[in-house]
Amino acid sequence: MADTAAEQRVRAHPAIRLSGISKSFGAVRANRDIDLTVRKSSIHGIVGENGAGKSTLMSILYGFYQADSGTIEVDGKQVSIPHSQAAIDLGIGMVHQHFMLVHNFTVLENIMLGAEGAALLSGGMARARAELKRIEKDYQLEVDPDALTEDLPVGLQQRVEILKALYRGADILILDEPTGVLTPTEADHLFRILQRLREEGKTVILITHKLREIMAVTDTVSVMRQGQIVDTEPTAQTSVEAIAEKMVGRRVLLRVDKKPPRPGPVKLSVRDLTVVDSRKVPMVKNVSLDVRAGEIVGIAGVAGNGQSHLIETIAGIRRPTQGTVEMNGKTLDYDRLDPASLREEGMAHVPEDRHRMGLVLAFEENENAILGYHNSAAFGNGPFLSISAMREHARERIEQYDIRPPDCRLKTANFSGGNQQKIVLAREMERDPDVLLIGQPTRGVDVGAIEFIHRRIVEMRDAGKAILLVSVELDEIRALSDRILVMFDGKIVGERGAEATEGELGLLMAGVTDAESDRPAAPDLSMIDTTPGQAPAETQIPGERP
Amino acid sequence: MNNTLPPWANYVLLPAINLLVAFIVSGLVVVAVGENPFKAAWLMIDGAFGSGRGIGFTLFYATNFIFTGLSVAVAIHCGLFNIGSEGQALVGGLGVALACLWLGAYIPWWMVLPVAIVMGASFGAAWGFLPGYLQAVRGSHVVITTIMFNFIAAALMNWLLVDWLRPVGQMGPETAVFAEGGWLPKLTGLMNFLGADVRSTPLNLSFFVALICCFLVWVLIWRTRFGYGIRTMGLSPSAAKYAGIRPARTVIIAMMISGGLAGLMALNPVMGDLHRLTLDIVQGAGFVGIAVALMGRNHPVGIVLAALLFGMLYQGGAEMAFDMPTITRDMIVVIQGLVILFAGALENMFRPQLSRFFLAMHRRGVAPEAEGAA
Amino acid sequence: MDFNATLLILDSTLRLSTPLLLAALAGLYSERAGIFDIGLEGKMLAAAFAAGAGASVTGSAYAGLLLGVLVSVIFGLVHGFASITARGNQIVSGVALNFVAAGATVLLGQAWFRQGGRTPQLSTDQRFLGSEPNFAAELRDIPIVGSIVSELVLGHSLLVYIAFIMVPLTWWVLFRTRFGLRLRAVGENPAAVDTAGISVTVLRYKAVIICGALCGVAGTYLAISQSGGFNNNMTAGKGYIALAALIFAKWKPVPVMFACLLFGFLDAAAIRLQGAELPVIGRVPVQFIQALPYVLTVVLLAGFIGRAEPPRAGGVPYVKER
């Protein structure tokens, strides 16, 4: 290979070189003997499932944790990073997954925090303002320095985080799952900013579990699995499939055997539903849809486009601002009904986030097996609960769903992600509902359990249930749904059959509707068209540690 | 990292270590005032358990702490930190006293008691209702409002006693002494039967009321649908909402139950001992209840044990102060504070060391399995 | 009510507000940093005892002040250790320290001085007493303005002036210095402070030390300025009123001053209104006026007059997320 002299110089001194890094938390080994070299002026992606150890590794680099063993070199010099200040001094900046901003500070105050210059703020403030102007111009990162941080949209808050790092003179910028909270347009904008940063000579490390992003913007990609780096390659020389395979350790085929649907009468009918969130921002706008008995209707969309609000509103957790929902031909009166009474009417709900909603992690398994059904006559008399009935019921479900370990008195937190999800599914599916709302059925679930869960969902369809499925995993939507609705910005922007291609759905998810499909697509999405549809992109392996 | 301790270490060993440290520091205070700490400790234990009289007093004080401990515990199960048991007990005292004042002259104690229980509990519940309502509906922090309500209760009771309930010609802010029907029987006969002479102690029937409340609280929390709702609410408000457990209703009722239990505490001093209502019937028992609930891990059995410990401190401490001229009764307050500090606020001080110890033991014992579990 | 009586009430308002103001500002530093402190009462009490004992043993008011501050800071550090290092429950820690202070002051007082828990009566030169400058008498001859100035502005004890100077100073520290910026940040989002390379622990310890020092001055004022020595439970709930004032003022320095003046005024008025008939409302029970600070604070917390939102990270020990 005939590298130019400049390139050789760059190679001689990598921005970062980690050797033999290991880190354990108690009995959990989060990082094992990691070697990683990050070239200067490059965008280096690190992919892996949740819990693969990406964030731990970056936290070590940023001085948040200390490695148990191993060495860190920055710019060719071996360094120790005992705290974040040391990392900042070495020119390392980090944009965290959860923003590290003070909500009631102005943008300027947030940017200055920790880099005030002097004991008095006045001088530093003027300097910061000027410096900010310069950075904004260099990188096209405009944001009003006097705006109150909590008033800014998420995309701008993230920009403040990037500015914070640059203001501290960061040459190496780590971004931890930066697009999780962004709309496709905002994500696209972020990638342009990252490319711009690279052109200006900065090094970017991008942590993500989304393969599309890796393919779209990185120069090099490292794959992590179970605390180890299993591969590092130039992005151009690899493919989505190859990376995915290395991420999960074996090839996953999201193919569910299912018979053609035999749709019956409409069981769930939503008309002109509008929902605003606590800040009065409309999250669901005039949505109408029907779900028939014996069919699975999938709602595809990038996270945060209103799917969660839609499903939680139908389930009675949120109040609709406008519109009606009919179940079994009866209009649901949400002023009177709550999630408990809706369950009695025959609506079951597998929530998107089992840790926040579906389970009480500190409860015993048998207690969670009745959550939401705790007023049912089956579990006691009058105001009392029958412990024996609860345990008997739990044992039955454990048997049916092969929940492991088969111990109904074990604390729920001690089950793996997949088994926790089975506890929720068993509870919601086995009460013979008419309508089943399912959010993110396989988030943080291991591969074996995914197959089981998908099979159960299809069985429920074949038993004549009306199923509304929400998932941000496009492959899951495509594998399970009989009809696919795409949500963007709170609206349903299109409907497709099960045979829809990933590219077609991807355009809809980006908000390119049927009427205006000649508009140029976002660059990251155009990549998708060139990749074969099989990407098992976001299948996730053991989500939680025990 | 928190749950690496085996249950017995979490429930027994750790509190025992904390308690030991609290007593060591208390011993240092005794040294500071120039007395022999070992002698003091002996006087305290002997004073609390060495005689029928001592035991009687110990159980009398423990009765208060069982009630307030249960009160705090029920609120904690619902995720609420009720530090207003003090005020709720005082207002509960008003209910008990009114029942005794009105009915005591006409009907016997066993007919007054149910009325006193209902009135004491409902007055306490009423005083718990407002902070509960404000928390549930207006989002006002229950810790802060209950502090405020303690003082409002004190001012209210002061006013009622001075301006309304004080009999003519009486100096202090207190009610008249109740007629016979407002007196709970002492447990003299029973204790004599058990071989202890408790003639001169205030131990009375409300001790059994407290024990019955322990059982009822256990049933409520772990055996009823509403208790299930309380626990769900306390551990995960979002899961409660998902499950259709109405958050506001659950919070308000839990605070009322908590206040009601605190209100029942008043039975013991008002109907069982003083036979009149005064301003200082609670004497910090509401705050001690926080420590009792914490040490008892919010379980009735633990609460009874912790209440006995504090009852012993009160009674034994009083005996110690009596026998040691340089030590005043205030020593009890100091020890109480230190026990709350070490067993409550600093309860996790030794947890990391203890966890490391158990982890090391575990590793040594079953190393291969531990590796696999990770 | 005539002019002179009004002046007298206002004058005692100032004196009664002083300990509230010092304690509330103390709480402000602590709570703005995310450490809830219901132990203001205990710290003041401990400081009052230490100041009374110190002044009587050494014969110097300044030694008393020093001791009062020192003891209160030690209490603050214990609370800090429980809340910051041991990640304990801040409310429980506050309750515990209040108990310890209430018991230990009397216990030690009795053991050392044998006057029923009091410290010996101090002579005037062992106390912080106000002295009027020479021109005060001349000022008083100027009608209205003169008497206002001489009654309300001049002649207070040094500690009163310290308390009121602390108000603009605290505002300046909070909003114009690096320390203040960080202090405000750590009470809202400690993780932001941590990732900015600043130690959350050090910052919070600084806050509890300042809190202890100010409570120390407050307690000292009670024992050796307002009174001639320490008395049993001489704080009598002032720490809680200060806490109420802090919440009532929404954790802001200048409003804290006005809240303390209001609560001090209620206290001063309660003493004078005892049994007096007021026009329109008739006889107001003195207990009602005593409860008013708490009632007002509850009403504010309920959101009926504005909204009091505590610092977001308040009461929660900081644990690095994994």
Side-chain angles (χ1 to χ4, degrees):
Chain A
M1 284 244 168
D3 287 347
T4 63
E7 273 175 333
Q8 275 187 344
R9 203 188 54 231
V10 165
R11 297 253 159 96
H13 271 309
I16 290 191
R17 176 176 296 163
L18 304 176
S19 320
I21 297 282
S22 292
K23 173 74 182 170
S24 296
F25 295 102
V28 180
R29 295 173 68 186
N31 284 166
R32 286 192 259 179
D33 197 24
I34 284 181
D35 296 324
L36 177 69
T37 305
V38 178
R39 211 155 38 83
K40 263 187 199 161
S41 305
S42 74
I43 302 182
H44 192 119
I46 298 181
V47 281
E49 305 289 358
N50 290 339
K54 298 165 293 185
S55 293
T56 304
L57 185 64
M58 290 305 118
S59 295
I60 289 171
L61 190 52
Y62 193 61
F64 228 49
Y65 301 131
Q66 301 307 297
D68 300 335
S69 59
T71 57
I72 304 172
E73 277 174 41
V74 175
D75 216 1
K77 282 191 291 287
Q78 187 168 333
V79 295
S80 79
I81 308 181
H83 40 68
S84 301
Q85 189 59 54
I88 294 167
D89 293 343
L90 287 166
I92 301 172
M94 184 151 177
V95 175
H96 295 263
Q97 193 174 356
H98 305 287
F99 301 154
M100 298 298 176
L101 298 172
V102 179
H103 72 106
N104 57 359
F105 273 17
T106 63
V107 169
L108 195 65
E109 284 179 315
N110 261 313
I111 286 171
M112 285 179 70
L113 183 66
E116 299 88 348
L120 298 187
L121 290 181
S122 49
M125 222 147 201
R127 243 174 295 131
R129 213 177 269 278
E131 174 71 5
L132 206 57
K133 271 256 156 56
R134 195 188 60 74
I135 298 173
E136 280 181 356
K137 225 177 53 220
D138 284 359
Y139 301 100
Q140 291 157 8
L141 285 165
E142 285 86 28
V143 55
D144 172 14
D146 297 312
L148 204 57
T149 310
E150 62 188 342
D151 295 341
L152 296 178
V154 182
L156 281 184
Q157 291 191 12
Q158 188 174 58
R159 203 174 287 180
V160 176
E161 284 280 31
I162 296 173
L163 283 170
K164 242 167 90 173
L166 295 176
Y167 180 71
R168 285 162 171 72
D171 286 319
I172 301 163
L173 194 64
I174 306 167
L175 293 103
D176 188 0
E177 302 281 1
T179 57
V181 290
L182 300 185
T183 63
T185 337
E186 285 172 327
D188 178 29
H189 195 112
L190 173 70
F191 293 146
R192 278 206 298 273
I193 291 170
L194 295 186
Q195 276 154 358
R196 171 99 197 167
L197 286 170
R198 176 182 51 189
E199 283 160 26
E200 296 290 326
K202 308 278 183 194
T203 307
V204 177
I205 302 178
L206 178 69
I207 305 174
T208 180
H209 67 279
K210 295 182 183 168
L211 295 187
R212 296 179 180 85
E213 293 170 2
I214 289 293
M215 301 311 290
V217 287
T218 63
D219 302 312
T220 315
V221 54
S222 295
V223 183
M224 283 191 80
R225 186 173 76 222
Q226 290 172 0
Q228 289 174 305
I229 287 196
V230 291
D231 188 38
T232 299
E233 268 186 281
T235 311
Q237 291 169 24
T238 185
S239 69
V240 170
E241 289 88 346
I243 296 173
E245 205 179 315
K246 284 170 194 138
M247 260 166 76
V248 298
R250 72 174 163 101
R251 191 158 176 84
V252 187
L253 276 180
L254 275 180
R255 184 136 293 157
V256 183
D257 287 326
K258 55 176 189 183
K259 291 176 283 215
R262 283 179 293 129
V266 173
K267 285 280 178 183
L268 180 74
S269 172
V270 177
R271 286 289 167 272
D272 302 322
L273 196 72
T274 298
V275 183
V276 299
D277 69 1
S278 51
R279 297 164 301 160
K280 305 268 180 253
V281 179
M283 295 303 290
V284 177
K285 302 169 185 165
N286 268 315
V287 164
S288 298
L289 59 88
D290 285 327
V291 188
R292 294 170 175 279
E295 75 167 347
I296 300 175
V297 175
I299 297 184
V302 178
N305 274 291
Q307 311 95 305
S308 314
H309 286 74
L310 174 66
I311 198 168
E312 286 177 10
T313 306
I314 298 174
I317 296 171
R318 294 174 185 275
R319 284 287 168 81
T321 331
Q322 199 187 301
T324 57
V325 178
E326 270 181 29
M327 185 164 70
N328 292 327
K330 270 197 310 191
T331 304
L332 300 178
D333 173 7
Y334 284 110
D335 288 333
R336 199 176 52 77
L337 295 166
D338 61 18
S341 43
L342 282 167
R343 281 190 184 90
E344 282 162 29
E345 305 265 329
M347 184 187 287
H349 175 204
V350 177
E352 290 186 324
D353 185 342
R354 61 176 168 272
H355 287 177
R356 218 170 61 78
M357 283 197 173
L359 296 167
V360 179
L361 291 177
F363 271 1
E364 288 176 10
E365 194 273 343
N366 69 81
E367 294 177 299
N368 269 315
I370 66 164
L371 185 69
Y373 300 94
H374 52 277
N375 286 327
S376 151
F379 304 123
N381 296 310
F384 299 103
L385 283 173
S386 158
I387 296 298
S388 55
M390 283 165 61
R391 291 190 188 152
E392 189 48 45
H393 161 260
R395 278 187 210 108
E396 234 169 75
R397 297 285 179 269
I398 285 174
E399 171 98 34
Q400 278 174 319
Y401 279 76
D402 190 27
I403 295 166
R404 286 183 224 175
D407 176 1
C408 74
R409 299 211 51 195
L410 190 66
K411 239 191 205 168
T412 311
N414 295 338
F415 286 89
S416 73
N419 282 299
Q420 288 177 351
Q421 187 69 357
K422 282 181 180 178
I423 297 171
V424 179
L425 282 162
R427 181 182 72 210
E428 300 301 322
M429 286 182 168
E430 295 305 316
R431 303 281 303 174
D432 196 29
D434 296 325
V435 173
L436 189 52
L437 311 172
I438 306 180
Q440 315 296 352
T442 55
R443 177 182 281 173
V445 165
D446 50 282
V447 179
I450 291 178
E451 287 173 7
F452 177 87
I453 290 168
H454 284 175
R455 222 173 36 243
R456 282 299 296 150
I457 293 176
V458 172
E459 279 168 24
M460 290 296 283
R461 176 197 77 163
D462 293 343
K465 314 293 180 204
I467 299 175
L468 185 62
L469 171 75
V470 167
S471 175
V472 292
E473 316 296 343
L474 197 48
D475 308 297
E476 182 164 75
I477 291 281
R478 292 178 60 228
L480 289 175
S481 310
D482 300 313
R483 284 192 292 131
I484 300 171
L485 306 175
V486 182
M487 265 188 102
F488 175 78
D489 190 28
K491 288 178 290 221
I492 289 183
V493 291
E495 177 176 342
R496 293 288 184 275
E499 70 292 338
T501 67
E502 192 165 340
E504 191 181 354
L505 294 171
L507 282 176
L508 284 170
M509 284 163 66
V512 184
T513 54
D514 300 356
E516 45 177 343
S517 54
D518 52 352
R519 211 177 74 179
D524 55 329
L525 290 158
S526 62
M527 299 286 302
I528 294 164
D529 287 335
T530 66
T531 59
Q534 277 301 329
E538 295 169 350
T539 330
Q540 288 166 5
I541 252 185
E544 289 81 15
R545 301 186 193 92
Chain B
M1 295 232 125
N2 253 346
N3 289 322
T4 45
L5 286 182
W8 71 272
N10 190 28
Y11 291 111
V12 181
L13 185 59
L14 196 60
I17 293 175
N18 292 329
L19 213 52
L20 186 70
V21 177
F23 285 136
I24 290 173
V25 177
S26 306
L28 295 177
V29 176
V30 173
V31 172
V33 297
E35 290 280 0
N36 179 345
F38 296 102
K39 192 177 154 218
W42 168 247
L43 283 174
M44 197 157 102
I45 294 166
D46 188 53
F49 296 118
S51 66
R53 190 178 159 277
I55 293 173
F57 267 102
T58 299
L59 293 180
F60 170 73
Y61 293 125
T63 305
N64 285 350
F65 303 143
I66 292 174
F67 279 119
T68 53
L70 289 175
S71 162
V72 175
V74 167
I76 288 181
H77 276 295
C78 196
L80 302 160
F81 206 63
N82 176 18
I83 58 175
S85 300
E86 189 83 9
Q88 290 145 13
L90 187 59
V91 176
L94 177 66
V96 172
L98 289 179
C100 295
L101 282 172
W102 290 337
L103 302 173
Y106 311 109
I107 49 177
W109 69 266
W110 54 270
M111 287 173 77
V112 178
L113 179 62
V115 181
I117 285 178
V118 169
M119 286 189 63
S122 44
F123 276 54
W127 211 247
F129 165 79
L130 242 128
Y133 171 83
L134 292 175
Q135 168 79 63
V137 179
R138 316 279 315 185
S140 329
H141 207 303
V142 81
V143 169
I144 303 174
T145 48
T146 47
I147 296 177
M148 302 300 142
F149 266 71
N150 283 341
F151 286 95
I152 299 172
L156 176 74
M157 293 297 284
N158 192 329
W159 175 63
L160 286 174
L161 280 173
V162 170
D163 284 17
W164 298 95
L165 294 168
R166 184 172 53 170
V168 181
Q170 164 129 4
M171 283 300 292
E174 50 188 57
T175 63
V177 175
F178 309 146
E180 280 294 292
W183 295 36
L184 277 182
K186 306 259 152 133
L187 295 184
T188 321
L190 179 81
M191 296 300 276
N192 278 341
F193 178 72
L194 292 175
D197 176 16
V198 291
R199 221 167 319 157
S200 49
T201 75
L203 181 64
N204 61 77
L205 198 73
S206 42
F207 177 64
F208 289 113
V209 179
L211 293 183
I212 291 168
C213 283
C214 283
F215 176 71
L216 292 179
V217 165
W218 176 79
V219 170
L220 169 78
I221 297 293
W222 283 283
R223 288 294 181 271
T224 68
R225 301 182 199 270
F226 185 70
Y228 181 90
I230 287 184
R231 286 186 295 136
T232 307
M233 189 65 206
L235 292 167
S236 170
S238 51
K241 204 167 177 204
Y242 158 81
I245 294 160
R246 280 182 270 167
R249 180 171 165 268
T250 310
V251 162
I252 291 171
I253 297 181
M255 272 306 284
M256 289 176 71
I257 295 173
S258 174
L261 286 163
L264 282 179
M265 190 219 91
L267 280 180
N268 191 36
V270 173
M271 200 178 173
D273 179 30
L274 302 171
H275 308 131
R276 61 179 188 274
L277 178 63
T278 68
L279 271 179
D280 54 0
I281 54 164
V282 191
Q283 293 196 312
F287 291 114
V288 176
I290 297 169
V292 168
L294 254 163
M295 287 186 69
R297 297 290 189 259
N298 302 314
H299 192 285
V301 174
I303 286 170
V304 169
L305 293 176
L308 281 175
L309 172 80
F310 278 93
M312 180 202 91
L313 284 183
Y314 260 64
Q315 166 54 17
E319 293 293 318
M320 174 179 71
F322 187 77
D323 288 331
M324 296 183 123
T326 42
I327 293 181
T328 62
R329 275 191 72 117
D330 302 283
M331 186 67 211
I332 305 171
V333 183
V334 177
I335 300 177
Q336 205 173 296
L338 290 170
V339 169
I340 297 174
L341 183 68
F342 285 99
L346 291 171
E347 68 165 342
N348 293 326
M349 187 161 60
F350 300 107
R351 195 183 283 274
Q353 289 88 334
L354 213 57
S355 295
R356 231 171 292 145
F357 174 75
F358 276 100
L359 196 68
M361 296 294 284
H362 185 72
R363 281 232 175 101
R364 198 172 304 160
V366 279
E369 283 93 323
E371 199 62 15
Chain C
M1 216 176 294
D2 62 24
F3 179 65
N4 278 333
T6 312
L7 270 188
L8 278 178
I9 286 195
L10 291 180
D11 185 46
S12 56
T13 295
L14 281 183
R15 293 169 201 277
L16 291 167
S17 307
T18 299
L20 299 182
L21 182 54
L22 286 163
L25 289 173
L28 187 143
Y29 281 96
S30 183
E31 302 210 344
R32 277 281 189 158
I35 307 289
F36 273 173
D37 196 356
I38 65 167
L40 299 174
E41 174 87 0
K43 282 198 270 284
M44 270 164 88
L45 193 60
F49 173 72
S56 99
V57 170
T58 62
S60 151
Y62 287 95
L65 176 64
L66 199 69
L67 263 168
V69 168
L70 187 71
V71 165
S72 177
V73 166
I74 290 171
F75 267 69
L77 285 173
V78 174
H79 183 58
F81 178 75
S83 317
I84 304 163
T85 307
R87 292 174 193 150
N89 185 314
Q90 299 171 10
I91 308 293
V92 174
S93 168
V95 167
L97 289 171
N98 284 346
F99 270 118
V100 171
T105 48
V106 184
L107 180 74
L108 296 177
Q110 172 63 17
W112 292 343
F113 302 105
R114 311 213 175 260
Q115 297 185 9
R118 294 162 183 237
T119 60
Q121 184 67 35
L122 298 170
S123 60
T124 46
D125 60 330
Q126 295 168 337
R127 296 173 57 185
F128 284 106
L129 291 174
S131 60
E132 296 202 341
N134 297 332
F135 58 88
E138 296 155 36
L139 264 177
R140 199 162 285 142
D141 297 336
I142 307 168
I144 304 183
V145 178
S147 44
I148 289 177
V149 170
S150 65
E151 277 295 332
L152 299 186
V153 182
L154 300 175
H156 292 292
S157 130
L158 171 69
L159 302 182
V160 176
Y161 296 112
I162 289 181
F164 283 88
I165 287 168
M166 279 311 295
V167 176
L169 188 65
T170 298
W171 177 87
W172 182 79
V173 165
L174 222 50
F175 297 103
R176 288 292 178 268
T177 70
R178 175 171 66 191
F179 174 69
L181 185 78
R182 294 176 173 188
L183 191 82
R184 284 184 287 135
V186 81
E188 298 288 347
N189 187 355
V193 170
D194 196 1
T195 51
I198 310 159
S199 164
V200 172
T201 307
V202 171
L203 206 47
R204 287 189 162 170
Y205 268 109
K206 281 183 188 167
V208 295
I209 289 173
I210 295 174
C211 171
L214 286 172
C215 276
V217 181
T220 304
Y221 175 80
L222 287 176
I224 67 176
S225 181
Q226 214 173 36
S227 326
F230 173 80
N231 272 331
N232 241 339
N233 189 30
M234 77 183 310
T235 44
K238 289 196 172 60
Y240 292 100
I241 299 218
L243 191 64
L246 176 61
I247 298 162
F248 195 70
K250 302 176 186 177
W251 294 268
K252 291 183 183 125
V254 177
V256 159
M257 181 182 75
F258 287 114
C260 288
L261 283 171
L262 172 67
F263 292 175
F265 172 76
L266 288 174
D267 199 2
I271 296 166
R272 269 158 219 280
L273 288 179
Q274 202 132 24
E277 293 275 339
L278 283 185
V280 190
I281 22 182
R283 200 173 73 89
V284 179
V286 63
Q287 295 90 348
F288 177 77
I289 299 175
Q290 281 163 352
L292 204 53
Y294 307 112
V295 175
L296 285 174
T297 305
V298 169
V299 171
L300 180 82
L301 280 166
F304 294 116
I305 41 168
R307 182 127 204 106
E309 255 190 62
R312 276 201 187 166
V316 189
Y318 177 60
V319 186
K320 278 185 187 184
E321 263 182 71
R322 268 183 54 189

